[in-house]
Amino acid sequence: VDRFVFNADDLSDSFLSGEEENGIITKNIKNEINGNWISAPNSIHEARLKAKAKRRLRKTSSRDSGRGDSFSENGDPSRGTNGTAPPTSPKSKLLDRKSRAGKGRGLPKKGGAGGKGVWGPPGEVYDLEEVDVKDPNYDEAQENCVYETVVPPLEEGAFEKTLTPIVQEYFEHGDTNEVAELLGELNLGSMSSGVPMLAVSLALEAKASHRELTSRLLTDLCGRVLSRSDVESSFDKLLRELPDLVLDTPGAPQLVGQFIARAVKDQILSKSYLDGYKGRVDCVHARAALDRAAVLLKMGLGGLRIDNLWGTGGGQRPVTQLVREMTLLLKEYLLSGDNKEAERCLRELEVPHFHHEFVYEAMVMVLESKGEKTFKMVLQLLKFLWVSSIITVDQMRRGYERVYMDIAEINIDVPRAYFILEQFVDKSFSAGFICEKLRDLCPSRGRKRFVSEGDGGRFKLESY
């Protein structure tokens, strides 16, 4: 029997063969102690356990390091295509913030504050960073600095170019808050007194509704963007420049006087403003403006509503008021017969989108009339307004179509309404201010024919 002498602590991985792994041992191995050979089965068993422990430790270390060979669950080594070990974590966990080292409690790295573009954990509030006096870049002069946006003052040449679009746009939307915000963004400086003057000069050439908007604008801007001294100095400039304003607007003195009276009523001008000019005015136009303002203020004490001096714009008036004013306009025209005055009054209503109501009311007035006078005068007025382009094609057509739709109800009160309407439509087509298609749309009441007994079979036409 062969005998081998070995040390159990120096066992390597190659010590155990395949037969030893399967538990097949063919040789009797004994140890020699004090010259006596004895069998040591316990020593061999301990050596095997130590060798297995070394292999297990080597597998764990290679898996943790991610380098070299990696072993599957069965203990078989596996390598990537490029000779490197594949990552131990699955692909779906590449973006996981949990630790991949297999250590710790499985919490996110850095408390969830890690990753690209992340400044800290959710809910963290950053306080102001204290200035380090020992910092080499520390500058004592910048410690108490306050940074503000500086707007350069508006130049005199750019003043009119900048403010004119703002005022003209205000005439469209009528929002004084928006104008105040836009002017607040500009550094007007000493040129703030030019705002009322520019607004009033633009309103002189505009409509009455625009003048009403200008008076409201001056009232709302005073105290926010303008001061009372700015308003007073602005009206002083207007009075001095009235000779030049009259060249473009002949009625400028009366209009400026109305603006002054409205400003005094709105308390943006002092009541003693007019008293300061007594006996000191040489200009004829300025004197006319101040006299107009004084007369209006005296009339205001007697009950005149100066706050409604300019009236209300057409788009801001209720429909019932517009209908009432158009009816009064037509009645006044039937009494005077002045086409130009009727045209002027219709223009001052400033409702070109509502002229179809004027056509409707005029035709209804013709249907309800009893004589030929109203028929001819209304026909003449509509032709005059058509030629002067006050009433457009669309508004004329809509007015006639509205009468066509309501003729059945009108006929209840006016039995001859269908007959009069047909005559009026034919005359309108002959005058040339309605088209043939609109004439053909005119409704006609169906004439029923009856046959009576004993009349010889004759048809009876319905009489009016």
Side-chain angles (χ1 to χ4, degrees):
V1 178
D2 296 334
R3 297 179 180 177
F4 300 91
V5 180
F6 63 92
N7 189 359
D9 296 335
D10 296 334
L11 290 175
S12 62
D13 291 344
S14 63
F15 175 80
L16 298 176
S17 61
E19 295 178 352
E20 292 172 345
E21 289 290 338
N22 297 330
I24 302 175
I25 303 176
T26 56
K27 295 185 180 182
N28 186 14
I29 302 175
K30 297 181 180 180
N31 290 336
E32 183 179 2
I33 300 175
N34 296 328
N36 298 323
W37 295 96
I38 59 173
S39 61
N42 294 334
S43 300
I44 295 175
H45 183 66
E46 291 177 1
R48 289 178 177 176
L49 292 178
K50 290 182 179 180
K52 287 183 179 180
K54 287 182 179 181
R55 284 202 303 272
R56 203 173 286 117
L57 180 62
R58 197 159 50 244
K59 291 178 184 179
T60 305
S61 63
S62 64
R63 185 182 297 114
D64 292 342
S65 62
R67 300 176 182 176
D69 297 342
S70 61
F71 295 85
S72 63
E73 295 180 357
N74 299 328
D76 300 330
S78 61
R79 290 181 177 272
T81 56
N82 56 355
T84 60
T88 58
S89 61
K91 188 175 181 180
S92 62
K93 295 184 178 181
L94 289 176
L95 302 178
D96 192 3
R97 293 187 178 182
K98 293 184 179 181
S99 175
R100 301 178 188 174
K103 301 177 182 180
R105 296 176 294 170
L107 300 176
K109 295 188 298 183
K110 302 180 182 179
K116 183 178 180 180
V118 179
W119 287 6
E124 182 175 353
V125 180
Y126 294 92
D127 297 331
L128 294 176
E129 215 175 300
E130 296 183 1
V131 181
D132 188 6
V133 182
K134 298 181 180 180
D135 190 351
N137 296 324
Y138 173 75
D139 188 0
E140 186 179 359
Q142 296 182 358
E143 184 174 357
N144 297 323
C145 288
V146 178
Y147 298 94
E148 295 180 354
T149 303
V150 178
V151 180
L154 195 63
E155 298 180 358
E156 186 176 357
F159 177 80
E160 185 174 352
K161 294 182 180 179
T162 305
L163 265 69
T164 300
I166 296 176
V167 177
Q168 290 177 346
E169 186 178 356
Y170 165 71
F171 289 160
E172 300 296 330
H173 59 72
D175 189 359
T176 57
N177 293 326
E178 182 177 349
V179 179
E181 292 177 359
L182 293 176
L183 294 180
E185 297 175 358
L186 302 175
N187 188 2
L188 297 176
S190 59
M191 302 182 65
S192 58
S193 60
V195 176
M197 179 178 176
L198 178 63
V200 171
S201 61
L202 291 175
L204 292 179
E205 302 175 0
K207 304 176 182 178
S209 59
H210 296 165
R211 296 166 193 151
E212 172 65 23
L213 291 174
T214 304
S215 296
R216 294 181 185 178
L217 178 64
L218 297 181
T219 305
D220 293 344
L221 291 182
C222 188
R224 298 176 59 182
V225 181
L226 306 175
S227 61
R228 296 185 65 177
S229 60
D230 294 334
V231 178
E232 290 182 2
S233 61
S234 181
F235 277 105
D236 291 340
K237 293 179 182 178
L238 278 172
L239 292 174
R240 290 195 298 267
E241 295 188 6
L242 269 178
D244 296 333
L245 295 176
V246 170
L247 299 177
D248 297 329
T249 309
Q254 289 74 22
L255 295 177
V256 172
Q258 293 178 354
F259 272 111
I260 294 175
R262 177 66 180 272
V264 173
K265 177 65 177 178
D266 294 337
Q267 298 181 358
I268 59 176
L269 277 179
S270 61
K271 296 182 179 180
S272 60
Y273 180 78
L274 298 178
D275 297 336
Y277 279 96
K278 287 184 177 180
R280 297 172 49 194
V281 181
D282 297 331
C283 178
V284 179
H285 302 295
R287 190 183 302 113
L290 294 172
D291 292 342
R292 174 67 173 170
V295 170
L296 290 175
L297 290 175
K298 288 182 180 179
M299 294 175 64
L301 297 177
L304 177 66
R305 291 187 58 187
I306 300 181
D307 55 350
N308 197 23
L309 186 64
W310 305 109
T312 307
Q316 301 176 359
R317 272 180 285 191
V319 176
T320 55
Q321 181 181 356
L322 289 174
V323 174
R324 184 170 58 253
E325 291 186 5
M326 288 181 177
T327 305
L328 293 175
L329 192 158
L330 287 169
K331 291 180 179 180
E332 182 180 353
Y333 166 72
L334 293 177
L335 294 175
S336 64
D338 191 351
N339 293 329
K340 293 184 178 181
E341 180 66 17
E343 177 190 357
R344 185 189 66 81
C345 294
L346 190 60
R347 284 181 183 273
E348 289 183 354
L349 291 179
E350 300 179 14
V351 283
H353 60 283
F354 201 60
H355 284 171
H356 60 86
E357 179 67 27
F358 180 82
V359 177
Y360 176 83
E361 295 294 337
M363 294 183 66
V364 171
M365 192 171 292
V366 170
L367 297 178
E368 294 178 350
S369 64
K370 297 180 180 180
E372 295 288 335
K373 180 181 178 181
T374 304
F375 187 98
K376 294 180 180 180
M377 292 186 68
V378 171
L379 187 67
Q380 181 184 359
L381 176 62
L382 292 180
K383 182 178 180 180
F384 178 79
L385 296 176
W386 166 266
V387 173
S388 59
S389 301
I390 301 300
I391 300 179
T392 60
V393 179
D394 180 64
Q395 296 297 314
M396 187 73 73
R397 177 182 56 81
R398 291 182 61 185
Y400 273 76
E401 288 178 351
R402 287 183 58 190
V403 177
Y404 294 167
M405 294 174 61
D406 296 344
I407 187 61
E409 297 180 1
I410 299 174
N411 188 66
I412 298 175
D413 299 327
V414 184
R416 301 180 69 248
Y418 279 97
F419 177 73
I420 299 175
L421 179 62
E422 289 179 359
Q423 287 187 338
F424 189 83
V425 170
D426 291 338
K427 293 291 184 181
S428 301
F429 176 72
S430 301
F433 56 87
I434 66 170
C435 61
E436 183 178 0
K437 182 179 179 180
L438 186 60
R439 182 199 65 178
D440 296 338
L441 291 176
C442 178
S444 60
R445 183 174 56 178
R447 293 179 172 84
K448 298 181 181 180
R449 299 181 178 182
F450 301 94
V451 179
S452 302
E453 296 180 0
D455 60 355
R458 290 179 302 171
F459 289 97
K460 291 183 179 181
L461 298 178
E462 185 177 0
S463 60
Y464 289 95

